[in-house]
């Protein structure tokens, strides 16, 4: 019952948002629905393992899914609160644009798509049928695309089309993988995950290998693994920062879950080694790609986008290495989602103050007028690059330790070198933005209150949570992560 509520309440609330004429009640609905979703997830955790219903064969949460759901709910909860303030400030700054043209106002589209996006992500994570999972991933693309186009600029339009086209190609490849999975399963059309795992030993291994590769490439396109990541920097850069946080922290994870579901089937079928090699190859390639492109960045939102490519690569690498590294990959995923959300909120505040995304145009964030922004920007940089103690640090440390212990010395050296390059590249940019002469002050007549309490406390809360997880990991969360790790062949 709770699962159905988690899917349907945001869906119907999102549809209703399109028809609410006043901005204030629409914003209240967006925040209230996200809070409701978070409360329901907490309730689900309380009754975890005891919920059974009519649709439990189709929808539900296992040890892996519940982690993804928890992260998603926390991010939407924080994003809705930040979004209420963001939309209020945006309306003051661009009121004329907000009411121009179209059947629905841009804010109505934002509010409606935001909640339907939450519904589709939840549906995808809850799905226990791989065809429905595929449909859910496609639905997340369609519902998030209007959010990227919120600012109605040429660049945001280009980024939206790029996002739609590339992800559609990826999802088409994944569909072909679904067809091959059916062939591998002796032409049985039922794609329930539990039955696939149960029948995995009887599947045709050659067809299953081909199906895994196609599904991996298809979902990796949505996940942002290199070299399929080309939509990601543009979309993250042009979308409102609150949406960039959701794309990076929730949407990419969603696609990652699709790969993990197929990996579960392949592991039982005896293809674990083959799959892990694919994970290692694309994971390491993504980290190297990120290291190269971060060094040459001129746009701080694109910088964060390439950081997401890096962390998707780290997670894939952790799964590929197996053992305790799977546990590390899951910890890294939690830490990355929390910290990246805080960083994108901070980037949104900087953009509101300076009206530019160019790194060279921003200096002295640590000065008195923007000190809160500077502290948060520096704090977020330290956390995302894995400075101890934080969840990101422990995730990277566990993966690197497993790489050395399992004898993957070359991979360890390449991985460590790429991380060092990324740290140096990001440090150079962050230091240049926070230090220097106080000659790039926020523009006059700035109607935003980007340095105010509301817009700075939320990124701070995400950062503190990620830091706290580095100091203390709750026992119940550790148990779920260990169970999820074992389900994925880890320790």
């Amino acid at each position: 019952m709770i699962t159905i509520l988690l899917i349907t309440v945001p869906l119907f609330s999102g549809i209703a948002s399109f028809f609410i004429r006043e901005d204030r009640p629409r914003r209240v609905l967006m925040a209230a629905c996200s809070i409701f979703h978070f409360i329901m997830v907490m309730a689900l955790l309380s009754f975890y393992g005891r919920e059974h219903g009519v649709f439990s064969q189709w929808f539900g949460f296992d040890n892996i899914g519940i982690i993804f759901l928890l992260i998603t709910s926390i991010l939407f909860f924080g994003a809705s609160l930040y979004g209420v303030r963001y939309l209020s400030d945006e309306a003051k700054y661009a009121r004329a644009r907000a009411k121009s043209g179209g059947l629905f106002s841009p804010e109505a589209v934002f509010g409606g798509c935001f909640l339907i996006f939450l519904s589709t992500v939840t549906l995808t994570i809850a799905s226990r049928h791989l065809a429905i999972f595929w449909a859910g991933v496609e639905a997340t693309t369609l519902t998030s695309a209007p959010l990227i186009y919120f600012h109605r600029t040429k660049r945001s339009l280009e980024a939206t089309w790029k996002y739609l086209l590339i992800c559609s190609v990826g999802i088409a490849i994944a569909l072909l993988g679904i067809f091959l999975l059916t062939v591998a399963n002796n032409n049985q059309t039922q794609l329930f995950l539990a039955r696939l795992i149960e029948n995995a030993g009887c599947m045709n291994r050659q067809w299953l290998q081909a199906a895994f590769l196609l599904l991996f490439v298809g979902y990796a396109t949505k996940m942002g693994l290199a070299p399929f990541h080309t939509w990601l920097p543009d979309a993250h850069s042009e979308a409102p920062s609150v949406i960039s946080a959701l794309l990076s922290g929730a949407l990419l994870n969603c696609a990652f879950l699709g790969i993990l579901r197929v990996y579960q089937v392949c592991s039982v079928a005896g293809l674990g080694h083959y799959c892990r090699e694919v994970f290692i190859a694309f994971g390491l390639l993504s980290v190297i790609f990120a290291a190269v492109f971060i060094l040459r960045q001129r746009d701080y939102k694109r910088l964060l986008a390439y950081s997401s490519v890096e962390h998707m690569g780290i997670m894939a690498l952790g799964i590929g290495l197996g053992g305790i590294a799977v546990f590390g990959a899951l910890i890294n995923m939690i830490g990355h989602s929390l910290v990246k959300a805080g960083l994108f909120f901070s980037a949104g505040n900087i953009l509101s103050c300076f009206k530019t995304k160019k790194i060279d145009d921003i200096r002295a964030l640590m000065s008195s007028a923007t000190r809160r922004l500077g502290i948060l920007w520096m704090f977020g940089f330290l956390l995302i690059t894995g400075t101890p103690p934080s969840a990101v640090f422990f995730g990277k440390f566990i993966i690197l330790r497993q790489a050395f212990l399992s004898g993957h010395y070359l991979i360890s050296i390449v991985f460590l070198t790429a991380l060092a390059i990324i740290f140096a590249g990001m440090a150079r940019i962050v230091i240049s933005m926070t230090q220097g002469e106080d000659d790039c002050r926020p523009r006059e007549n700035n109607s935003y209150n980007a340095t105010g309490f509301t817009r700075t406390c939320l990124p701070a809360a995400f950062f503190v949570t990620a830091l706290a997880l580095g100091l203390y990991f709750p026992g119940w969360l550790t148990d779920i992560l260990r169970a999820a790790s074992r389900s994925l062949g880890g320790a």
Side-chain angles (χ1 to χ4, degrees):
M1 183 63 184
I2 294 177
T3 304
I4 300 303
L5 288 174
L6 286 170
I7 297 170
T8 54
V9 171
L11 174 64
F12 291 120
S13 299
I15 294 171
S17 292
F18 282 99
F19 300 98
I20 297 175
R21 298 180 63 86
E22 298 296 324
D23 291 339
R24 187 181 293 272
R26 190 187 308 112
R27 293 170 196 161
V28 171
L29 177 62
M30 183 176 75
C33 188
S34 299
I35 293 170
F36 170 81
H37 190 278
F38 180 71
I39 293 172
M40 285 294 101
V41 170
M42 293 297 106
L44 187 67
L45 280 170
S46 302
F47 295 101
Y48 183 59
R50 286 177 282 169
E51 197 203 19
H52 299 285
V54 178
F55 302 104
S56 59
Q57 186 181 12
W58 297 82
F59 301 106
F61 301 97
D62 57 5
N63 291 316
I64 303 172
I66 197 73
I67 299 169
F68 285 77
L69 178 70
L70 181 61
I71 295 172
T72 298
S73 191
I74 291 172
L75 289 191
F76 272 88
F77 174 52
S80 68
L81 299 180
Y82 183 90
V84 167
R85 185 66 195 182
Y86 173 84
L87 290 172
S88 176
D89 292 340
E90 184 74 12
K92 291 176 186 174
Y93 178 69
R95 187 174 295 277
R97 184 181 64 198
K99 293 188 175 181
S100 63
L103 183 60
F104 302 107
S105 69
E107 188 169 329
V109 174
F110 184 100
C113 288
F114 182 96
L115 292 176
I116 299 176
F117 183 33
L118 172 59
S119 172
T120 55
V121 172
T122 306
L123 179 143
T124 306
I125 295 172
S127 174
R128 289 179 170 175
H129 191 283
L130 294 193
I132 294 178
F133 185 97
W134 176 89
V137 172
E138 175 64 2
T140 60
T141 304
L142 298 176
T143 53
S144 56
L147 296 170
I148 297 172
Y149 185 52
F150 176 70
H151 289 303
R152 304 294 195 270
T153 62
K154 288 183 179 179
R155 291 177 66 88
S156 65
L157 180 62
E158 181 184 344
T160 303
W161 276 114
K162 196 171 181 179
Y163 170 64
L164 281 171
L165 289 173
I166 295 175
C167 287
S168 296
V169 171
I171 207 71
I173 294 172
L175 180 60
L176 187 57
I178 294 282
F179 290 151
L180 293 191
L181 185 61
T182 305
V183 175
N185 194 25
N186 302 314
N187 291 320
Q188 294 184 25
T189 55
Q190 289 190 346
L191 294 173
F192 292 106
L193 180 64
R195 292 189 183 178
L196 287 173
I197 293 174
E198 187 179 324
N199 299 331
C202 304
M203 288 187 182
N204 183 300
R205 288 166 62 93
Q206 284 73 33
W207 284 113
L208 188 57
Q209 277 184 325
F212 173 79
L213 201 56
L214 289 174
L215 283 161
F216 184 95
V217 170
Y219 288 137
T221 304
K222 190 73 176 281
M223 181 183 170
L225 281 179
F228 317 112
H229 66 286
T230 49
W231 65 270
L232 194 147
D234 291 322
H236 282 54
S237 177
E238 297 304 323
S241 294
V242 61
I243 300 304
S244 302
L246 296 177
L247 294 179
S248 184
L251 183 70
L252 304 188
N253 291 348
C254 201
F256 184 46
L257 179 60
I259 299 175
L260 295 181
R261 293 304 192 196
V262 189
Y263 174 59
Q264 283 183 276
V265 178
C266 291
S267 295
V268 178
L271 295 176
H273 181 71
Y274 164 78
C275 297
R276 286 194 292 275
E277 286 185 342
V278 176
F279 274 113
I280 290 174
F282 284 97
L284 203 58
L285 183 65
S286 298
V287 179
I288 294 170
F289 254 76
V292 172
F293 281 91
I294 279 175
L295 285 177
R296 50 191 288 192
Q297 275 314 301
R298 300 290 182 270
D299 179 326
Y300 56 85
K301 286 191 72 180
R302 291 177 74 90
L303 173 76
L304 298 183
Y306 279 106
S307 170
S308 295
V309 175
E310 174 211 354
H311 281 273
M312 292 304 111
I314 292 172
M315 288 152 51
L317 182 62
I319 299 296
L321 290 170
I324 192 67
V326 177
F327 186 76
L330 296 174
I331 292 179
N332 189 85
M333 181 181 69
I334 295 173
H336 168 256
S337 295
L338 293 173
V339 177
K340 193 53 65 66
L343 273 169
F344 270 116
F345 292 161
S346 300
N349 294 341
I350 294 171
L351 180 59
S352 295
C353 276
F354 291 87
K355 309 291 189 294
T356 180
K357 289 178 280 188
K358 292 183 179 178
I359 293 167
D360 292 341
D361 291 345
I362 299 173
R363 293 288 182 273
L365 277 175
M366 284 292 192
S367 64
S368 57
T370 56
R371 183 161 296 156
R372 287 183 184 177
L373 302 186
I375 292 172
L376 287 173
W377 194 239
M378 180 62 77
F379 193 23
F381 152 69
L382 293 172
L383 290 174
I384 202 66
T385 51
T387 304
S390 72
V392 175
F393 164 74
F394 280 109
K396 288 180 177 178
F397 177 78
I398 292 171
I399 292 170
L400 192 60
R401 179 173 175 269
Q402 176 64 25
F404 275 111
L405 290 178
S406 58
H408 292 92
Y409 299 118
L410 181 60
I411 291 173
S412 306
I413 292 169
V414 173
F415 180 49
L416 205 54
T417 304
L419 291 183
I421 293 172
I422 290 169
F423 181 86
M426 291 189 73
R428 178 184 63 80
I429 292 170
V430 171
I431 290 172
S432 73
M433 291 174 67
T434 53
Q435 307 300 319
E437 295 294 329
D438 190 9
D439 57 353
C440 301
R441 296 297 83 219
R443 295 182 181 179
E444 295 180 355
N445 301 322
N446 177 16
S447 61
Y448 292 92
N449 186 26
T451 59
F453 177 77
T454 305
R455 290 186 63 166
T456 54
C457 73
L458 279 166
F462 277 103
F463 292 155
V464 169
T465 304
L467 179 66
L469 287 177
L471 298 170
Y472 171 72
F473 227 76
W476 61 269
L477 185 56
T478 304
D479 292 340
I480 293 176
L481 285 175
R482 283 178 176 165
S485 177
R486 286 193 292 272
S487 300
L488 294 168

